[in-house]
Amino acid sequence: MSLKNLSYDLPQNPGYFDIPAQDVSVWHVPNNEQMDRWGQTAFLRYHTETKFLKDYGGNLFQLFTQLPVRHNAGSCIQDNGPSIPVVYDVGDAAFNHNLYGPNSRAETEPGFVTFRVFNNERNALAMCSALKPVYWLQNACNTEHYCIGGGYISEPLRCGDFAGFDNNGYGNNIGWSASQRVTEAAVLLFYR
């Protein structure tokens, strides 16, 4: 397994490749929750309704083939992927926004799921969960603090799906740090 091909080398659900879909649904479920309780314990659930996946090959595999989550594959703002409006099933835009630190809230707008974003260091992240960076701000490219998946921060070196969520302390929801609730949750993606 090579670092370059990590996302292709890891075993994945065949549905990621094979299931045709038009939209996605996203659930945020506390870590270690039993599967039969996911629906009851998800503190945030939302979905898209625009049929956006048909424009990107019909599933997330095709979307990320067109918009690879790879360092230096683009730069913030002009090379970011689509921001799709969401409908909340559990939670709302204000609740969602407050799960992230005040610095992150200052450069994001809730109510959208955004795919393949870059940060200031040209590191790619797969998805911003019900947030989109507000690009009219001059330097709104600190996406490692509020976007997930494929994350890597060069300074200081951190890797992981929640790479910059604890920049100003773990789970304290100040500065660039996200809340403990969102940091200690699994993010589940479903096709619709």
Side-chain angles (χ1 to χ4, degrees), residues 109-132:
E109 179 182 348
F112 297 83
V113 62
T114 305
F115 293 95
R116 208 282 296 268
V117 296
F118 292 94
N119 66 5
N120 286 313
E121 296 81 22
R122 299 173 64 95
N123 301 318
L125 292 108
M127 183 180 93
C128 302
S129 297
L131 299 172
K132 76 173 180 177

Side-chain angles (χ1 to χ4, degrees), residues 25-145:
S25 180
V26 183
W27 295 12
H28 295 252
V29 177
N31 286 344
N32 302 317
E33 190 57 66
Q34 295 296 314
M35 187 179 359
D36 62 350
R37 295 190 28 83
W38 288 354
Q40 298 166 300
T41 59
F43 58 88
L44 194 60
R45 290 182 9 202
Y46 48 89
H47 65 274
T48 62
E49 294 184 338
T50 63
K51 300 179 177 27
F52 77 97
L53 283 173
K54 67 179 172 41
D55 296 331
Y56 293 94
N59 60 34
L60 292 173
F61 174 75
Q62 293 301 324
L63 181 141
F64 289 121
T65 298
Q66 294 176 39
L67 302 169
V69 178
R70 193 174 59 237
H71 174 69
N72 230 12
S75 61
C76 181
I77 301 176
Q78 65 264 24
D79 296 314
N80 288 350
S83 291
I84 312 301
V86 299
V87 174
Y88 288 92
D89 303 306
V90 174
D92 59 31
F95 172 76
N96 180 69
H97 214 206
N98 285 319
L99 292 169
Y100 299 89
N103 294 352
S104 297
R105 290 192 303 269
E107 69 175 49
T108 58
E109 179 182 348
F112 297 83
V113 62
T114 305
F115 293 95
R116 208 282 296 268
V117 296
F118 292 94
N119 66 5
N120 286 313
E121 296 81 22
R122 299 173 64 95
N123 301 318
L125 292 108
M127 183 180 93
C128 302
S129 297
L131 299 172
K132 76 173 180 177
V134 289
Y135 299 122
W136 50 266
L137 286 174
Q138 186 65 2
N139 196 20
C141 296
N142 297 293
T143 57
E144 68 271 18
H145 303 296

